[in-house]
Every structure is written in structure tokens, then in C-alpha cells.
Amino acid sequence: MIIAGIIAEYNPFHSGHRYHIEQTRLKSGADAVVCVMSASFVQRGQPSCFDKFARAEAALKNGADMVLELPAVYSLQGAEFFARGAVNILKACGIITHISFGTEAPVTPGQTDPEALRAALDRGLPYSAALMRGEKPNALLGLEYMRAAEKSGWNVSFLQIPRAGAGHDSTEDAEHLSAACIRQRLSHGLPAPGLAMPAQDFLEPEQMFVPLLCRLRTMSAARLAAISQVSEGLEYKFYEAARSAHSLDELILSCKSKRYTYSRLARIACCAFLDITQAMTDRANAAVPYIRVLGVKKQRRAELLSLLCSGASVPVCTCAADFLRTAPPEAAAAFRAECAATDLRAALERKNAGTDFTCGLLLV
């Protein structure tokens, strides 16, 4: 049985994502497509523009057979560990035969020169900038997926789908608008052709600023130093910036330097907001604690859940309450942290807490 995995954020889900799923099924002959999707916070260092249940539903309505959750402890890391977390979740499923990713150009695992990478890092370039060396964002992530699989000893097949439509983060009109262009249009109240989900409940990143500022102003520099990815005195920059910043952008720019990209600092800010410590990310990077199923196609529920539960090497969560009653302590602690991330994002929309328990397993 061929089961293709896709690593995505769907922030938001649009026609280009539908095309990717269609091409994945066509080119691999997949019997099923399983997506692992960033949940309440995304890799650019922001709360997701729509909640995870709405985005998972859109994926299921547009070709995916199952959607798994990529917790914030993974989605709020740089390319290397974002990829490692997602790949390790797919590997832990025990049923994935292929990983499919979109790319601007074909990539191979040995494409980057390790010595050149080390030299760029020595010059003070951030890891992502040093690694890219002219690569495009999707190609970069594809390379990281390949490296992550190789490091874990997983001999999975990779399927590269040429990106169609607008480039990553492009705001130009195209057959498939980029997610960045769609977010920009929604932010300005404009129509967003290609958006494959309802436009209501769009969340602006700036809505996190005041709650984040409140969090940062209650944290000491020592507490900030324990937050994920904080190093080399960044805690002092955040501590001082939180005392005078008047916007989210101003806060991040106050901490920025050549060594630290805007995205990395935005991810650190989100980790501070969620109280994700370096110890938490170290544990998550060492081993996947559980697999959370957000949704599955109704007609394939019994088949796919049976395959997953019998093939998985870690506990599988399909019902939050049941999972917390039976999960090992470390998996339960990690799951509670992710539920807190869901609740904090919901607070930004002035919505009720507890949706991880009230929404249940999506069946589409």
C-alpha cells in the first residue's frame, strides 16, 4: 500500500495546496495522502491565520485522507528542526512510504557543500541563510526533509512536485496565489482568489502583541534565557525591548541583528508567549512523544486509523480526554503543552478554551 506524507502549514489552505495533493496522488499512485500540519503557531513565528481545525477540514475537503498535528514545539523552530520534527512524526506512523514536497527546482541530499556551510556559519550567517546559498525556500525545506530522513535511518521515497503559480511569499497575481498574498489580501479586506476555506475568523499576527507584551513584562531575563532558541544574550534584548515597544514589528526589530533573522526572533517571541523552553524542545527533538490525529476522511476512518494505530511506534491520540487518561507521563505533558498553545491562540480570537476536547476528531 502506498501512503504519501505531506508536511505543510496551510496558512491558509489554497488552490496551490490542492494542486500539490492532486499531483502527489497522481505521481505516486498513492492509496492515501496523510498531511502533518503546523497547528496553532507557524514557522514564520506567528499564530496561524485560521485555527487548526478549520485548516485541517479544508485539507480533508480538498484531497487529504488524514491530517496529523505538528505541535508548536516543532513548528516554532528553524528549518532543520521543523523538518526533523515533521519527518519523525511521519516516520513514527509506521505506514508512510513516500514524502512529497513542492519545490522551485529539483534538489538532492548532497546539494549543499558542508565546508561552504561551515564557513558561512563562521562568518556569522544564520543557519537558514548559510544553508540556502541561493536555494529557494521550498527547495531548502525539501533538502531538510531528506537530511532528516537520512539522519533517522529512514529509507523513505521522496517525491518532488514542481511548484506551480506564484513563488513563495510572492504578492504577484498568478494561477495559484501564494499564502502570503492571500494573507495580505485578507488583511486588507480584499477578495482572495484561490482561498479554499471560509474567509471569516482571519487572525492578524498583531493581535498577539498586547498579550505577548504582558507575558514578556512579567518575565525576568533569567526566565527569558530558558526560552527555546534564546542564546548569546538575546534574553537581555527581549527584556529591554518589551519595556518600550509599541508594536509587534517594533519589538522584533529592536532585537534584530545580522546574526538573528526576523523569523527566528519572531519564533522566540512565540515560544515566550507559549512558555516553550529549550528543555522542552530538546526533549521533543530527541524523540516524538505521540501522534495526534486532527481529522480523517469519514469513509476511510476505520481503515486508516486501524493502520496507524497498529503501525505507530508511539502513542496515537484520536480523543484528547481518552489520551490523557492512558498516555505515558512525558507524552501527556507534551500534549497538555500543545493544548495550552491551542487555548492561547483561541484567546487571541476571544474564543472559548478547550477546543482540543470539544471539537473531537474531524470526520469529513
Side-chain angles (χ1 to χ4, degrees), residues 61-210:
K61 286 181 175 179
N62 287 276
D65 296 292
M66 182 184 287
V67 179
L68 310 177
E69 178 174 78
L70 182 66
V73 73
Y74 294 120
S75 67
L76 289 175
Q77 295 195 64
E80 179 183 10
F81 291 103
F82 173 94
R84 184 183 298 182
V87 166
N88 285 344
I89 287 174
L90 290 176
K91 181 187 179 185
C93 291
I95 60 173
I96 304 298
T97 60
H98 295 65
I99 293 179
S100 170
F101 63 89
T103 182
E104 298 87 350
V107 296
T108 57
Q111 191 164 322
T112 299
D113 180 350
E115 291 189 5
L117 173 59
R118 280 194 295 272
L121 291 171
D122 289 341
R123 293 197 303 273
L125 282 177
Y127 178 83
S128 58
L131 182 62
M132 285 180 71
R133 296 175 59 247
E135 298 294 344
K136 299 294 186 180
N138 294 121
L140 167 66
L141 274 174
L143 282 168
E144 290 294 0
Y145 300 151
M146 291 177 170
R147 288 193 182 91
E150 184 179 13
K151 286 179 181 178
S152 71
W154 187 22
N155 188 27
V156 67
S157 296
F158 281 93
L159 180 65
Q160 301 184 37
I161 306 296
R163 185 182 176 101
H168 188 275
D169 280 348
S170 169
T171 56
E172 296 179 358
D173 286 335
E175 178 186 0
H176 304 294
L177 296 181
S178 71
C181 183
I182 290 175
R183 289 193 301 271
Q184 183 183 75
R185 290 182 179 223
L186 292 174
S187 179
H188 289 89
L190 300 174
L195 178 66
M197 54 189 298
Q200 66 265 30
D201 295 328
F202 173 74
L203 179 67
E204 293 275 8
E206 190 65 29
Q207 288 175 248
M208 186 179 73
F209 174 63
V210 172

Side-chain angles (χ1 to χ4, degrees), residues 5-83:
I6 290 175
I7 299 164
E9 297 206 284
Y10 298 149
N11 189 44
F13 192 97
H14 58 70
S15 61
H17 298 133
R18 185 193 303 120
Y19 172 82
H20 180 208
I21 294 173
E22 290 170 351
Q23 290 298 303
T24 295
R25 195 181 297 277
L26 178 67
K27 294 187 176 182
S28 68
D31 300 290
V33 175
V34 175
C35 302
V36 57
M37 181 193 77
S38 296
S40 298
F41 289 79
V42 296
Q43 211 239 346
R44 66 194 306 112
Q46 296 175 350
S48 57
C49 63
F50 293 95
D51 78 43
K52 63 186 180 184
F53 297 106
R55 287 155 45 237
E57 182 178 5
L60 292 168
K61 286 181 175 179
N62 287 276
D65 296 292
M66 182 184 287
V67 179
L68 310 177
E69 178 174 78
L70 182 66
V73 73
Y74 294 120
S75 67
L76 289 175
Q77 295 195 64
E80 179 183 10
F81 291 103
F82 173 94

Side-chain angles (χ1 to χ4, degrees), residues 288-328:
V288 171
Y290 66 91
I291 296 167
R292 168 80 184 282
V293 184
L294 289 175
V296 64
K297 282 281 181 65
K298 187 184 298 184
Q299 65 271 28
R300 307 202 66 181
R301 175 184 181 180
E303 173 197 10
L304 292 179
L305 290 182
S306 175
L307 281 171
L308 177 62
C309 290
S310 61
S313 59
V314 298
V316 175
C317 172
T318 58
C319 171
D322 289 347
F323 181 73
L324 285 179
R325 281 194 292 268
T326 60

